[in-house]
Amino acid sequence: MSVDSMLKAPAIAAGPLTLVHTADEAAGWWRSAVIYQVYPRSFRDLNGDGIGDLAGITAELPQLARLDVDAVWLSPFYRSPQKDAGYDVSDYCDVDPLFGTLADFDAMMAQAARLNLRVIVDLVPNHCSDQHAAFQAALGAPAGSPERDMFIFRDGRGPFGEEPPNNWESHFGGPAWTRISEPDGQPGQWYLHLFDTSQPDFNWDNQAVHDEFERVLRFWLDRGVAGFRVDVAHALVKAPGLPEWGGRADGNSCDGYPGHDAPMFGQPALHDIYRAWRRILAEYGPDRILCAEANVDPLPRLADWVRPDEMHQAFNFPYLHAGLDVHRLRGVITDSLVALDAVGAPSTWVLSNHDVVRHATRFGYDGPAPRDGDGIGTFDRQPDSVLGRKRAAAASMFMLGLPGGAYLYQGEELGLPDGIDIPDSQRQDPTFARTGGERLGRDGCRVPLPWRAAEPHTGFGSGQDPWLPQPASFAELARDVQTEQPTSHLNLYRRMLAMRRQLDLGRGSLAWLENWCSDTSLAYVNGTTLVVMNVGPDPVDLPPGHVLLRSSPESAEQYSASPETYDGGHQLGSGETVWLNLPVG
Ligand code: BGC
C-alpha cells in the first residue's frame, strides 16, 4: 500500500485531502528555520581587493535581518590556499587573511547577536588542504608513520608502484589518487583525494583525526556559533580494503546520487562520529545544530542521519533535483516527510546553493539545463531569463509554504541568474581545469552580489574588479533598485518570509489537495493556508479562498490590499504559485 493511501484525511470544501504530515510541536528553533547561505567570497567586499570579506558580511547583516531569516550559514572563511574556494582548509581554527581576522569574526558574531540572527559555520572534515601542517608532516615522514596515518596513503600497483592503488575517480574529474615524491626524492606512495589533488582525504580510522575535529568543534562553539553544516558528511569513512568501484564519484550536491554500494560513501561507521559530535554540541545547550551535506539515496536512508542522537538536519538534495516536475516533487515531499517523521526529524528544503546552477537560470529552460547543469557557457543554449525568474519565484513560494526548515542561497532573493559570460581565463572551479574545460564547473552561481546599482561593481566593492565578472543584468537586479519596486523579487521574498513566520508554516502540517494536483499543478494545505503551483502552459482555476500572496503580482495594489479583504483572481497563470487563506467553516 502506498504511503499516500494510508494517510487519507477528510475532505474540505475544495475536495479530498491526503494527509502526509501533522503539525510539529517538538522544541528546537531549527525545525522551522529559514537559513540563509552566505558565500563569503561573493557577498560584499569592504577592503576593495575584489573578494568578499567578514567585515562586508557584518556591514550587510541588517539586510538579512530585514529579510526575516533566522540564521546564516557561512561557507568556509578559514585559512586556505583557495584551490577549491576555501573547501581546502589549511588551518581550521583561523580566518584566512583574505577574509579578515578572528577579531573580524567576533565582530560579525556580535552584530548577528544584536540582530537576533544565529550563525552556522561550515565544517570540512573529509579532507583538508595539502598545505595543512598535518599533511606537510605526512609528506616529510616515512611510509607507515603516524603522520602518514592521518591520511589515506597506499603503495601503488604495478611492478614499480606506478599505478594508483584502486580505480576510484575524483569528483572533480581524473583519478582520486596522486603519487608523492618520498623525502629521498624517489617516486613513492599515493594519497587519496575524492576531490582536487590539493585536498587529501583524512583517515577516519585513526582516533587522532577524531580528536582533532572534536577540538575544532569546540573552538567554534566557544566563539558562539549556532552549529555546523558538515561538508560531504557521507564520505568520511571508506569501506575496509578500499575495494574497486566502477561508478562515478558523485559525492556532492552537483550531481545525482552515489550508488548504494559506493565504498566511499554512506559507511555505517559514520554514524558513531556524528553521535559523538552531537554529545559535544549538547554540552553547549539545546540550540546548537549539525546539518549534513549527505547525498544519500533512498530517502529513508537519509533519515538515518537525523535520528534523535545524530544530526539535527540534512539537506534535501532530492528536492533540489526534482526541479519543476510535479510528480517527482510530490513523491519527494511525501517520502521526505514520512521518512523523517518516522525518526522525529524535520525536513529541510533547498533550491540553490554554491554548487549548482541557480534556480532562476535552471528554470529558464524547458527541460534540463545544458551540460546537465554543470555550469553554462556562452556557446550553450541560453535560458529565457524572464521566464526563469518568474518560475523561480513560483518555486520559492511553493517551497517556503512547506513545513520544515528551508535553506536559501545568497542572491536568490534578488532572482539572480548564473553568470554565463565568464572568460575561461577567469574560471576558478577546479572542475574546469581537471576536465580540460569539458565541465564548466560552479563559478556561474558564485558571481559577486549586486548591492547598489549606481556604485562601482554594483556596490559589491569599490576597489579592484570582482573575482568573477558580474553580468550586465545585475544592475537592474541590485538590492537598492529592488527595494524601491513594490512588486520586485526581493519584496516578494520579504513578504513570503514575513508571512511564513506569521502563519507558522514551518511548524505546520501537509495534506495534498487532490482535485488541484494534476500532471502540471500541485496543491497542498498547511494549516489554514492553501498553496497551489501551476507549472503547465495554461491557467488553472483556483480553489475557493482569499489570496494572501501571488508569485507574479499583476499590480502593486494587490500587495498593499489587506489579505482579509482582497479576493484574488479566479485563475492561476502558467508558472505561478499562490498562497490562499482557506475559507473558515
Ligand atoms: C562543497 C563543495 C566542495 C566539496 C569539496 C562540497 O560538497 O559544497 O563546494 O567543492 O564539498 O569540499
Side-chain angles (χ1 to χ4, degrees):
M1 193 191 303
S2 76
V3 168
D4 274 8
S5 56
M6 291 188 298
L7 293 167
K8 290 287 181 207
I12 58 167
L17 293 170
T18 301
L19 180 68
V20 171
H21 168 81
T22 52
D24 175 5
E25 282 165 12
W29 67 271
W30 70 90
R31 300 181 75 90
S32 56
V34 176
I35 302 179
Y36 181 102
Q37 179 186 0
V38 169
Y39 193 66
R41 297 175 73 83
S42 301
F43 191 72
R44 174 89 162 89
D45 168 23
L46 225 59
N47 70 0
D49 64 356
I51 296 180
D53 40 53
L54 293 180
I57 299 171
T58 306
E60 304 294 0
L61 274 183
Q63 299 280 2
L64 303 188
R66 192 162 167 211
L67 197 57
D68 211 3
V69 298
D70 298 282
V72 294
W73 146 41
L74 263 59
S75 283
F77 49 82
Y78 314 113
R79 273 194 189 264
S80 158
Q82 303 292 321
K83 293 283 172 50
D84 183 21
Y87 282 93
D88 49 318
V89 181
S90 56
D91 183 345
Y92 288 85
C93 296
D94 201 3
V95 173
D96 196 281
L98 206 52
F99 301 116
T101 61
L102 278 172
D104 291 329
F105 178 83
D106 292 340
M108 185 203 64
M109 292 296 290
Q111 171 73 321
R114 277 191 291 274
L115 296 166
N116 213 11
L117 289 170
R118 299 173 198 265
V119 177
I120 291 169
V121 295
D122 222 302
L123 187 74
V124 190
N126 180 65
H127 48 263
C128 59
S129 158
D130 59 2
Q131 301 307 306
H132 191 287
F135 190 73
Q136 288 297 312
L139 291 180
S145 61
E147 288 85 352
R148 289 255 169 117
D149 198 36
M150 292 292 283
F151 300 90
I152 303 177
F153 279 90
R154 293 288 184 276
D155 293 333
R157 294 182 297 187
F160 307 103
E162 72 280 19
E163 298 287 333
N166 72 17
N167 67 348
W168 294 4
E169 283 178 29
S170 150
H171 180 74
F172 293 153
W177 295 91
T178 292
R179 193 172 196 188
I180 64 162
S181 294
E182 296 294 344
D184 64 5
Q186 293 303 307
Q189 287 197 297
W190 298 70
Y191 65 89
L192 178 71
H193 51 88
L194 291 185
F195 293 89
D196 190 48
T197 313
S198 63
Q199 294 167 295
D201 280 37
F202 281 110
N203 172 19
W204 279 89
D205 292 335
N206 182 345
Q207 182 57 38
V209 172
H210 294 238
D211 296 346
E212 173 59 9
F213 273 91
E214 293 187 5
R215 183 182 76 84
V216 172
L217 287 177
R218 289 183 191 282
F219 180 86
W220 293 106
L221 289 167
D222 288 340
R223 288 196 117 83
V225 304
F228 303 88
R229 171 264 190 193
V230 182
D231 191 62
V232 280
H234 53 305
L236 277 52
V237 176
K238 279 78 181 175
L242 309 180
E244 298 276 296
W245 192 64
R248 240 187 87 179
D250 284 344
N252 82 358
S253 48
C254 314
D255 306 284
Y257 306 112
H260 294 198
D261 52 346
M264 68 289 275
F265 299 130
Q267 299 299 309
L270 285 163
H271 297 285
D272 280 341
I273 299 174
Y274 302 130
R275 289 193 181 100
W277 291 5
R278 174 107 180 204
R279 287 194 293 274
I280 292 174
L281 264 67
E283 291 173 27
Y284 289 79
D287 284 344
R288 318 283 183 122
I289 67 161
L290 294 167
C291 176
E293 189 213 25
N295 214 346
V296 289
D297 178 36
L299 267 162
R301 259 184 99 199
L302 192 61
D304 288 349
W305 296 72
V306 286
R307 289 174 286 198
D309 58 346
E310 297 196 36
M311 299 221 191
H312 300 74
Q313 294 183 323
F315 287 133
N316 194 332
F317 292 126
Y319 184 80
L320 188 153
H321 293 297
L324 292 176
D325 176 331
V326 293
H327 294 293
R328 268 180 85 181
L329 275 175
R330 178 173 172 149
V332 167
I333 293 168
T334 301
D335 291 353
S336 303
L337 290 170
V338 170
L340 296 170
D341 280 351
V343 293
S347 187
T348 62
W349 314 105
V350 63
L351 286 164
S352 280
N353 64 34
H354 66 293
D355 288 329
V356 296
V357 172
R358 285 180 175 278
H359 64 287
T361 296
R362 294 202 310 269
F363 296 156
Y365 292 94
D366 283 318
R371 297 172 190 269
D372 210 12
D374 210 347
I376 296 169
T378 43
F379 296 109
D380 291 317
R381 195 163 46 86
Q382 298 297 297
D384 175 337
S385 57
V386 174
L387 179 66
R389 197 150 46 244
K390 178 181 180 185
R391 287 178 174 163
S396 298
M397 197 160 164
F398 182 81
M399 175 180 87
L400 288 169
L402 292 169
Y407 277 82
L408 306 181
Y409 176 49
Q410 68 177 35
E412 72 168 80
E413 75 279 22
L414 303 175
L416 293 187
D418 258 38
I420 289 177
D421 194 3
I422 300 176
D424 287 357
S425 58
Q426 276 183 265
R427 291 202 180 269
Q428 301 200 18
D429 185 350
T431 310
F432 181 71
R434 286 186 69 87
T435 62
E438 189 190 319
R439 290 163 60 193
L440 293 180
R442 303 159 293 175
D443 292 318
C445 64
R446 299 175 175 181
V447 172
L449 295 187
W451 291 90
R452 284 162 270 274
E455 293 183 8
H457 312 311
T458 60
F460 170 63
S462 53
Q464 291 176 28
D465 287 350
W467 69 282
L468 287 172
Q470 295 172 307
S473 67
F474 272 29
E476 69 203 36
L477 296 174
R479 191 171 306 256
D480 65 340
V481 173
Q482 294 205 39
T483 299
E484 300 308 320
Q485 297 166 340
T487 60
S488 66
H489 211 89
L490 175 62
N491 280 322
L492 174 67
Y493 261 71
R494 287 187 179 146
R495 288 188 178 85
M496 283 194 291
L497 291 166
M499 205 174 273
R500 175 186 154 91
R501 188 184 296 286
Q502 189 194 333
L503 298 170
D504 211 10
L505 297 177
R507 289 282 184 170
S509 51
L510 186 129
W512 298 112
L513 182 59
E514 296 299 351
N515 291 354
W516 271 266
C517 290
S518 70
D519 285 342
T520 53
S521 65
L522 270 184
Y524 60 83
V525 176
N526 178 349
T528 58
T529 307
L530 180 60
V531 176
V532 191
M533 177 167 70
N534 174 19
V535 299
D538 303 314
V540 295
D541 290 338
L542 280 179
H546 294 293
V547 173
L548 296 171
L549 207 52
R550 303 177 79 117
S551 61
S552 302
E554 280 81 11
S555 69
E557 295 83 72
Q558 212 165 292
Y559 273 153
S560 51
S562 149
E564 298 309 322
T565 56
Y566 183 78
D567 200 351
H570 299 291
Q571 289 206 311
L572 181 65
S574 164
E576 293 185 15
T577 294
V578 66
W579 289 359
L580 299 166
N581 204 0
L582 279 175
V584 184

